[in-house]
C-alpha cells in the first residue's frame, strides 16, 4: 500500500475535511465547497410537518452524518432529496444544478445514488446480476439493441469486470452466482452499497447502513464507507448508532421534529445541549434530591386534602 | 372404449390451433407477469382488439387482410398505451383492475347489438380469412405417426407454431440482454431499480406493449381458427393462459410452450374420456353416478385437482427453478 504517497482523490478529501475547520457550528452553516444545497424544503403529511429544513449544505468529499431521534424526518428528507417523494415546497441543487422536480431515476443518473433503510436487493437475481443492473449508460438496456449481443457484448464484459472487482472489494465474490435473496442481512447491505457504486456516483446516500448488521461485519462496512471518501466520493448517511457516527463522520447534522437543530463535528454535536434535549427531553438531567422529592410529595398531598375538603363542604 | 383413439384425438388437440392460441397468449403474459411482474388480467382484451381489428377491416370496410393485420397490431399497441399511461405509475394491483375491466368493456362493445353493423354482434364476423387460406400450400389432410389434421388446420398450425418459435426466440434474446435484466429487476423491486437510474415507467410500458402485441397474435390465430366472436375473448381465456404459464413455469422461455401442450392434452383427453365413459347403453360409469351432461364438466374438476397438486408438489412449474421459490419476496 502506498500510504505515504496519497492519491489525488485522497488529497482532495483531506482538503475537503480541512475546509470544515472554519465552518461555524450552527444549523444551516455555509460550507466552502457544497455539493448539495437545500433551501426551505417542507414536506407535510396532513397536519404533520415531517420535514421543515430552512437551509442545508453538504460539503463535497467528506462523510456527513444525519442523526436525530425516531420520527425526526431523516428518511423523509432523504426521500425528498432523491426524488422518491415530492415536497410541498422547497428547492435544492446537486453540484450546482437545480434538481427539484426530477424523477428518482434522473437524480440517480446525475450521480446522487441512495440505498434504503429496508435493504432492497433483487432477490431472484444473482449477486452479479444485481451488480450489473447498477451500471449506467448500457446500450443493451435499449429495446432496439437488446436482441443483438454484438452491440452490447463488449460493454457487458467491461461492466462485469468492474462488478467483479467491486464484489471482491466487498468480499462478496464467493457469492457471485447465488441469488441475492439467499444472502444474510449484512451481506445484503454490502451488496446494496456495492451495487450503488456501479452507478459511479459522486454522492452516496446511505439510509441506516448499519441497521441489523453484526459487529464483525459492521467493522468491515465502516472501512468500506471510509474508503468511499478516500476514492473522492461524498457520503451522506442516516444512522442511529452513535459509535458509528463518532467513528467515521467528519460532520454531523442533527434533525428533530423535521428541523435541523444542530451541526458540527461529532464531538461538538454530541455535547450540544440542544441535541441532548432533543434525544432525551429537556431538563432530563436535573437531579432530583430527597428534599425535592419530599417537597413534591407534600405539595401533592396538600392538593388532595384541599380537594377532599371541598367535596365534603359541597 | 377405445383409449388409443382418445389419446390420438387428445394429441391432435394438444398440437392443434387451440393450443397455439393459448400458447401465444401465455407467451405475452410471460413477458408481463413472468419477467416484469405486471399483473395483466386482460390478455383477452389484447386478443380481441387484434382479432376484431383484422376482421372488421376486411368484412366491414372491405380493405385487404394484410392491412387488417397491421391495423390489428396498431390497436394492441394503442390499447397497451391506454392501459399503461394511467396505471403503470401506480401500484401493481391497479393494472390488474384496469386490464380486467378493459377486456370486459371491449368484449361487450364488440358484442353490442347496436354495433352489429360493424362487429356482427354476438355472431361475430366470419369469412374474412380468404387471403390467408389462399396461400395454403397443403392440398389434403396432413399429419403423421397416426395423427392427422385438416389442411386448413395444418396451415394455421404451420404459421402458428412458426410464430411461437419466433416469439420464443425473441423472448430468449431479449431476456438474456441487459434490457431483460432491468425487467427482472423491476419484478423484484422497482424502487431499487429506480434508485440505480433506470426509467422504470418506460420499461414497464415497453413490456406491456410487447406482451400485448404477442397477445394480439393469439387473437389473429383465434380468428383464423374459429372466426371472431365475443365468447372467444371472454375472461376465462386469460385465466387459462395464466394456468398454462404457471404449469410450464413463469419466467421460462419454454414454459408457455410446454404448458399449452400439456394443458390442451389434459383438457381434451379428459373430455373425450368422460364423454365416452358415460355414453352408450351400458356406460362404464353408471348413470346413477354421473350423467352424460355432467361428464362434460368433469374435465374442469380434474384440471383443478391437477393444478392444486402441481402447486403443492411443483409450485415452480415444469421448467421452474425450485431455488427461486425458496426465496421469499423480500
Amino acid at each position: 500500500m502506498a500510504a505515504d504517497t496519497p492519491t489525488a482523490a485522497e488529497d482532495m478529501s483531506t482538503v475537503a475535511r480541512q475546509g470544515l475547520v472554519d465552518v461555524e457550528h450552527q444549523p444551516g452553516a455555509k460550507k466552502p465547497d457544497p455539493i448539495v444545497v437545500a433551501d426551505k424544503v417542507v414536506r407535510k403529511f396532513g397536519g404533520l410537518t415531517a420535514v421543515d429544513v430552512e437551509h442545508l449544505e453538504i460539503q463535497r468529499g467528506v462523510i456527513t452524518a444525519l442523526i436525530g431521534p425516531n420520527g425526526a424526518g431523516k428518511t423523509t428528507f432523504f426521500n425528498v432529496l432523491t426524488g422518491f417523494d415530492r415536497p410541498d415546497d422547497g428547492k435544492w441543487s446537486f453540484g450546482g444544478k437545480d434538481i427539484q422536480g426530477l424523477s428518482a431515476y434522473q437524480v440517480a443518473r446525475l450521480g446522487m445514488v441512495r440505498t434504503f433503510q429496508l435493504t432492497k436487493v433483487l432477490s431472484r437475481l444473482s449477486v452479479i446480476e444485481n451488480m450489473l443492473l447498477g451500471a449506467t449508460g448500457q446500450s443493451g438496456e435499449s429495446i432496439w439493441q437488446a436482441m443483438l449481443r454484438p452491440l452490447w457484448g463488449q460493454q457487458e464484459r467491461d461492466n462485469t469486470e468492474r462488478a467483479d472487482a467491486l464484489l471482491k472489494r466487498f468480499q462478496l465474490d464467493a457469492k457471485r452466482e447465488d441469488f441475492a435473496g439467499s444472502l444474510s442481512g449484512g451481506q445484503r447491505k454490502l451488496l446494496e452499497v456495492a451495487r450503488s457504486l456501479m452507478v459511479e456516483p459522486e454522492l452516496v446516500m446511505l439510509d441506516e447502513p448499519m441497521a441489523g448488521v453484526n459487529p464483525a461485519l459492521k467493522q468491515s462496512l465502516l472501512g468500506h464507507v471510509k474508503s468511499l471518501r478516500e476514492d473522492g466520493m461524498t457520503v451522506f448517511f442516516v444512522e442511529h448508532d452513535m459509535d458509528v457516527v463518532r467513528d467515521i463522520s467528519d460532520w454531523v447534522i442533527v434533525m428533530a421534529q423535521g428541523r435541523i437543530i444542530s451541526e458540527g463535528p461529532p464531538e461538538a454535536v454530541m455535547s450540544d445541549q440542544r441535541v441532548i434535549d432533543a434525544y432525551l427531553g429537556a431538563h432530563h438531567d436535573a437531579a432530583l434530591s430527597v428534599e425535592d422529592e419530599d417537597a413534591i410529595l407534600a405539595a401533592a398531598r396538600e392538593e388532595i386534602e384541599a380537594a377532599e375538603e371541598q367535596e365534603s363542604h359541597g | 372404449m377405445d383409449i388409443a383413439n382418445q389419446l390420438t384425438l387428445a394429441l391432435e388437440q394438444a398440437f392443434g390451433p387451440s393450443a397455439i392460441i393459448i400458447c401465444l397468449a401465455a407467451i405475452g403474459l410471460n413477458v408481463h407477469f413472468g419477467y416484469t411482474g405486471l399483473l395483466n388480467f386482460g390478455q383477452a382484451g389484447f386478443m380481441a382488439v387484434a382479432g376484431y381489428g383484422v376482421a372488421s377491416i376486411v368484412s366491414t370496410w372491405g380493405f385487404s387482410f394484410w392491412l387488417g393485420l397491421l391495423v390489428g397490431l396498431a390497436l394492441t399497441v394503442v390499447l397497451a398505451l391506454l392501459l399503461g399511461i394511467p396505471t403503470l405509475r401506480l401500484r401493481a394491483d391497479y393494472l390488474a383492475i384496469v386490464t380486467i375491466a378493459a377486456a370486459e368493456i371491449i368484449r361487450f362493445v364488440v358484442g353490442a347489438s347496436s354495433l352489429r353493423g360493424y362487429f356482427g354482434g354476438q355472431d361475430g364476423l366470419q369469412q374474412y380469412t380468404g387471403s390467408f387460406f389462399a396461400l395454403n400450400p397443403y392440398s389434403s389432410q396432413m399429419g403423421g405417426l397416426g395423427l392427422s389434421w385438416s389442411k386448413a388446420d395444418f396451415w394455421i398450425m404451420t404459421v402458428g407454431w412458426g410464430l411461437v418459435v419466433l416469439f420464443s426466440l425473441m423472448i430468449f434474446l431479449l431476456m438474456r440482454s441487459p434490457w431483460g435484466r432491468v425487467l427482472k429487476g423491476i419484478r423484484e423491486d422497482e424502487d431499487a431499480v429506480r434508485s440505480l437510474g433506470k426509467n422504470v415507467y418506460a420499461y414497464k410500458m415497453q413490456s406491456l406493449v410487447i406482451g400485448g402485441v404477442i397477445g394480439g397474435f393469439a387473437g389473429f390465430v383465434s380468428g383464423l381458427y374459429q372466426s371472431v366472436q365475443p365468447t372467444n375473448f371472454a375472461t376465462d381465456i386469460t385465466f387459462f393462459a395464466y394456468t398454462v404459464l404457471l404449469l410450464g413455469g413463469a419466467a421460462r422461455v419454454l414454459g408457455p410452450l410446454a404448458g399449452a401442450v400439456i394443458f390442451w392434452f389434459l383438457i381434451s383427453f379428459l373430455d373425450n374420456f368422460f364423454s365416452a365413459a358415460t355414453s352408450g347403453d351400458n356406460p362404464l360409469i353408471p348413470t346413477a353416478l354421473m350423467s352424460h351432461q355432467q361428464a362434460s364438466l368433469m374435465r374442469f374438476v380434474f384440471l383443478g385437482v391437477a393444478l392444486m397438486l402441481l402447486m403443492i408438489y411443483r409450485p415452480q412449474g415444469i421448467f421452474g427453478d425450485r431455488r427461486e421459490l425458496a426465496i421469499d419476496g423480500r
Side-chain angles (χ1 to χ4, degrees), chain B residues 196-215:
Chain B
L196 297 170
K198 316 292 177 201
N199 186 351
V200 168
Y201 180 68
Y203 281 102
K204 288 208 275 192
M205 190 64 92
Q206 289 166 5
S207 164
L208 193 62
V209 169
I210 292 173
V213 166
I214 299 175

Side-chain angles (χ1 to χ4, degrees), chain A residues 299-309:
Chain A
R301 216 172 288 131
E302 259 172 49
E303 245 177 77
I304 294 167
E305 275 165 18
E308 278 173 348
E309 219 162 287

Side-chain angles (χ1 to χ4, degrees), chain A residues 109 123 133 135 138 141 156, chain B residues 179 181 197-199 203 330:
Chain A
R109 278 186 194 173
S123 301
L133 194 63
Q138 298 189 49
E141 284 183 357
E156 182 84 348
Chain B
W179 184 83
R181 189 164 59 215
K198 316 292 177 201
N199 186 351
Y203 281 102
R330 279 298 97 215

Side-chain angles (χ1 to χ4, degrees), chain A residues 102-116:
Chain A
L102 290 192
S103 307
Y105 80 92
Q106 292 170 316
V107 172
R109 278 186 194 173
L110 287 175
M112 181 167 166
V113 176
R114 68 167 301 177
T115 67
F116 295 88

Side-chain angles (χ1 to χ4, degrees), chain B residues 127-148:
Chain B
Q127 273 136 25
Y128 62 91
T129 53
S131 312
F132 176 79
F133 289 109
L135 297 178
N136 192 346
Y138 309 114
S139 50
S140 61
Q141 279 216 331
M142 295 292 291
L145 301 169
L147 308 176
S148 77

Side-chain angles (χ1 to χ4, degrees), chain A residues 107-128:
Chain A
V107 172
R109 278 186 194 173
L110 287 175
M112 181 167 166
V113 176
R114 68 167 301 177
T115 67
F116 295 88
Q117 191 173 351
L118 297 169
T119 324
K120 291 183 187 294
V121 296
L122 308 167
S123 301
R124 285 182 292 166
L125 260 56
S126 68
V127 167
I128 185 73

